[in-house]
Amino acid sequence: MRAAEALKAYAAAEFPGTEAIHLDAMDFVPAGFRAVYTDFYLHLVNRHPALWGYVYQKSDKALSSSPTQKLRRAIERISTRPLRKAIQAAAPDAIICTHFLPAELLAREIGKQRVVCPVWVQVTDFDLHSMWLQPLMQGYFAATEEIAYRMRTRGLAADAVHVTGIPIMPGFGQTLEREPCARQFGLDPQRKIILMMSGGAGIGDLDKTVQRLLALPDDFQLVALAGKNAAMLSDLQQLAAAHPGRLFPFGFTSQVDELMACADLAITKPGGLTTSECLAMGVPMIIHSPIPGQEERNADYLLEQGAALKAIDLTALEYRVQQLLRQPQLLQRLRQRSLELGRPRAARAVLQTVLSTLDSPLTRLSP
């Protein structure tokens, strides 16, 4: 969702004469399919993460010709007919898929000559799962050189793979001043500010983690983002009333870039988009509770590159927070490494590549 919105925002801001249309596949499927594809996934990763890790590993190695995979694709085709009609109605000159589901559907449509425009795939993690790789795609966009290498070893042509980073919104590429950003949220820019994120869906026991951190003796302000989890936000607001000037809870917000601009440190799950935003803004990270599978791979990348620390449990999280607050030189090293790795204009690079391959001036672009 956020990668597609970033492509749309950059198309509007920097490519005059283009029209970007963002089609969310889940807006075009039956409620039952959506519940399995999104709600059940969130339940699985929140309550049974080890099981999700097993599914992730098994599906990565599954043969596309297996009966299970054929059945899965048949169910998806039946459930996404309205999406295919919406794509035909948009009549795009190019399509960019920021999730593997539409890429898989469109590969079949291209094979049957029902889609004739080029279709591109943007991988949104620092990892590569086999479901991203589909036949007949025009090209792929990778987060890093290693992911591009993995694509090529799995049979993709070298010139079809482009290393751009993961698309993030334009705001994360701007220079924002700490003091005005902090003051608009009621924060004191002279005190340390820790930003804690649980993802857009509000995954995890954020309230319990916040309570543990508030018990630490260090002086800091804690900004906690509950995403779309209204119940969690309510719990955090009650906690905030008992800790005035220390805890600042927010629900889903479009001002994450401004919150990052005043943060000394972020505690986050290692989703591809969130970590790309942190890297672009130079925000040091403590990786907490990665989902087995793609988030564990994202965490590995950040740790290997020296842009983050990892907390395996709440005790480790307490230790890491105190370690970074009391060792400003370590905090600065993480910040500098993040800035070196960040690709704040990844969306622009993706659009430039897509536009440069079209034979005629672009009139429509559908991320």
Side-chain angles (χ1 to χ4, degrees), residues 148-161:
Y149 179 82
R150 288 182 176 277
M151 289 178 175
R152 292 190 290 268
T153 60
R154 293 198 183 192
L156 297 185
D159 60 358
V161 178

Side-chain angles (χ1 to χ4, degrees), residues 45-46 49 196-199 202-205 266-275 278 285-292 295 298-299 302:
V45 300
N46 200 22
M196 184 160 188
M197 298 176 284
S198 61
I203 295 173
D205 296 323
I267 300 170
T268 181
K269 295 177 67 59
L273 269 291
T274 298
T275 53
C278 285
M285 287 174 274
I286 297 178
I287 300 304
H288 181 49
S289 302
I291 296 169
E295 286 196 356
N298 292 342
L302 295 167

Side-chain angles (χ1 to χ4, degrees), residues 219-265:
D219 178 34
F220 58 85
Q221 301 159 97
L222 184 59
V223 177
L225 303 187
K228 296 178 181 178
N229 191 326
M232 184 182 293
L233 177 61
S234 178
D235 291 342
L236 290 173
Q237 288 170 337
Q238 292 182 39
L239 273 175
H243 297 273
R246 291 208 66 201
L247 176 61
F248 299 80
F250 294 87
F252 188 83
T253 175
S254 60
Q255 295 179 285
V256 176
D257 53 345
E258 294 168 278
L259 287 167
M260 284 188 181
C262 55
D264 296 283
L265 169 66

Side-chain angles (χ1 to χ4, degrees), residues 4 15 23 47 132 150 167 222 282 340 356:
F15 296 90
L23 301 180
R47 300 300 178 189
W132 285 101
R150 288 182 176 277
L222 184 59
E340 292 169 357
S356 69

Side-chain angles (χ1 to χ4, degrees), residues 63-273:
L63 296 175
S64 62
S65 59
S66 71
T68 302
Q69 292 300 308
K70 288 181 178 179
L71 176 62
R72 176 186 61 79
R73 289 195 299 271
I75 293 171
E76 290 174 350
R77 285 197 300 272
I78 293 170
S79 301
T80 55
R81 284 171 180 163
L83 173 63
R84 298 199 297 276
K85 290 181 179 178
I87 292 171
Q88 290 174 351
D93 292 285
I95 300 173
I96 306 172
C97 300
T98 59
H99 191 275
F100 48 77
L101 172 61
E104 187 170 54
L105 295 171
L106 288 166
R108 187 172 187 272
E109 295 300 292
I110 294 170
K112 292 185 174 296
Q113 299 184 337
R114 292 195 289 253
V115 169
V116 295
C117 71
V119 178
W120 301 76
V121 177
Q122 169 68 63
V123 177
T124 55
D125 282 301
F126 298 100
D127 183 35
L128 181 65
H129 191 283
S130 62
M131 290 185 72
W132 285 101
L133 303 178
Q134 300 297 330
L136 306 176
M137 298 291 103
Q138 179 75 18
Y140 290 78
F141 300 106
T144 67
E145 292 287 351
E146 180 180 349
I147 300 307
Y149 179 82
R150 288 182 176 277
M151 289 178 175
R152 292 190 290 268
T153 60
R154 293 198 183 192
L156 297 185
D159 60 358
V161 178
H162 307 268
V163 181
T164 56
I166 298 172
I168 56 178
M169 293 294 284
F172 295 97
Q174 298 176 357
T175 301
L176 300 171
E177 296 297 327
R178 173 187 173 94
E179 184 165 340
C181 286
R183 295 203 183 281
Q184 74 168 315
F185 299 112
L187 298 163
D188 181 355
Q190 303 305 316
R191 296 169 59 207
K192 294 293 185 184
I193 299 171
I194 298 176
L195 177 62
M196 184 160 188
M197 298 176 284
S198 61
I203 295 173
D205 296 323
L206 183 61
D207 52 343
K208 295 178 182 178
T209 306
V210 165
Q211 290 183 65
R212 291 281 293 266
L213 293 179
L214 289 173
L216 296 176
D218 302 80
D219 178 34
F220 58 85
Q221 301 159 97
L222 184 59
V223 177
L225 303 187
K228 296 178 181 178
N229 191 326
M232 184 182 293
L233 177 61
S234 178
D235 291 342
L236 290 173
Q237 288 170 337
Q238 292 182 39
L239 273 175
H243 297 273
R246 291 208 66 201
L247 176 61
F248 299 80
F250 294 87
F252 188 83
T253 175
S254 60
Q255 295 179 285
V256 176
D257 53 345
E258 294 168 278
L259 287 167
M260 284 188 181
C262 55
D264 296 283
L265 169 66
I267 300 170
T268 181
K269 295 177 67 59
L273 269 291

